[in-house]
Amino acid sequence: MAPLALFSSLPFSSSRLDGSCTALKLRLQFSAAFHAMKRRRPELSSSSAPRLAAPPPPETDDVARRWLLLDLDRSELSLPLTFPTGQTFRWKQTGPVQYTGAVGPHLISLKHLEDGTVSYFIHSRSCDSSAAAALLDFLNSDVSLAEIWAAFSAADRRFAEVARHLAGARVLRQEPLECLVQFLCSSNNNIKRITKMVDFISSSGNYLGSVEGFDFHEFPTLEQLSEFSEEALREAGFGYRAKYIIGTVKALQSKPGGGVEWLKSLRKMDLPETIDALCTLPGVGPKVAACIALFSLDQHHAIPVDTHVWQIATRHLLPELAGSRLTPKLCSRVAEAFVSKYGKYAGWAQTLLFVAELPSQKALLPSHCLIMKDEKTTD
């Protein structure tokens, strides 16, 4: 078993972009005037975290010129293992290995190149440096998968084998309000219906553009969300979730200092306090609270426990509980088992193991991985 402090000595660093919107605009004006200067990307401060690489030489086609490289290979970011896996329901597949979505006010596409690295395209006419900084933050780029997965693999032979075949499954860092509303829609629901609900709510936000037939919007503000009525949401197919969304919006609006600020303040609390605070909102239970904590509030050891995670736990971590009925007390025991095994980034380990259980990903695992899973309970 890995101790709880497994990652206490691992260094993680952050990236910061230099430059400003003003400087960028001046360079563009200079280029337009003299046709001799080339557009430059702002550089990142020196850091071990992923950085934005220099773009290829300018081409005559402005669209081609705006595709830029992220210094991330597939081992650090796999788009198919990150976006369509239940963390967010606002990103769309817009190409064979391309996904598009909104990061704040920025409309961005990401795609894998042939060598596995990732390039990005900023569709909106916003400041490139601001959009790039927001993208890196959204991708949780301060966390090195190579480092934490090496620690996971040393503690768990089965994780090491699965990770070889499903590398690059990252945990996103979404805006808390956006994440909260999405997971209010997810309660007792399926991905197709959740996505339809989230799209309906998102359509009240500022329109950002259309890519491959999909319309994209900035996520609505609290004020924009407050314009929905429970009746309108019920007519749109939200069912009982309508009253929870309306109730949560009202509860957030009543928070001193503002609901968005209150949600962000939860990033500074311990996990139990964060879960308790979220559970005061209408419709938020422990599982939904753990999802919000993990995917938006920097609570990297939060473990959302549902029937799928329960099955993983009883096969590999707590085989003595196989056949038991999942209760709130056992949910806590499952979460503790994951943290005991994987440490303060246990939520990232659980995310990969959950992804490995999805039918689309299970098909990618060789048979000996599946056999290893079954044999684990006899250890």
Side-chain angles (χ1 to χ4, degrees), residues 226-301:
S226 69
E227 296 175 1
F228 284 108
S229 67
E230 182 177 338
E231 180 182 7
L233 292 180
R234 286 187 177 275
E235 289 179 354
F238 283 68
Y240 69 88
R241 302 167 195 84
K243 68 178 180 180
Y244 292 144
I245 293 172
I246 298 301
T248 289
V249 169
K250 289 180 178 178
L252 291 175
Q253 287 183 309
S254 69
K255 297 292 184 184
V260 171
E261 290 73 15
W262 178 80
L263 284 170
K264 289 184 176 180
S265 73
L266 301 183
R267 287 173 169 167
K268 301 176 182 179
M269 293 185 179
D270 292 335
L271 178 59
E273 295 175 313
T274 297
I275 297 296
D276 288 345
L278 289 170
C279 286
T280 64
L281 299 173
V284 178
K287 187 251 182 171
V288 167
C291 289
I292 299 165
L294 177 61
F295 300 137
S296 71
L297 296 177
D298 301 337
Q299 303 287 350
H300 300 296
H301 59 300

Side-chain angles (χ1 to χ4, degrees), residues 341-361:
K341 184 73 170 178
Y342 300 108
K344 73 176 186 178
Y345 281 84
W348 290 62
Q350 177 264 333
T351 296
L352 174 67
L353 297 176
F354 173 82
V355 168
E357 293 293 311
L358 299 176
S360 58
Q361 308 307 332

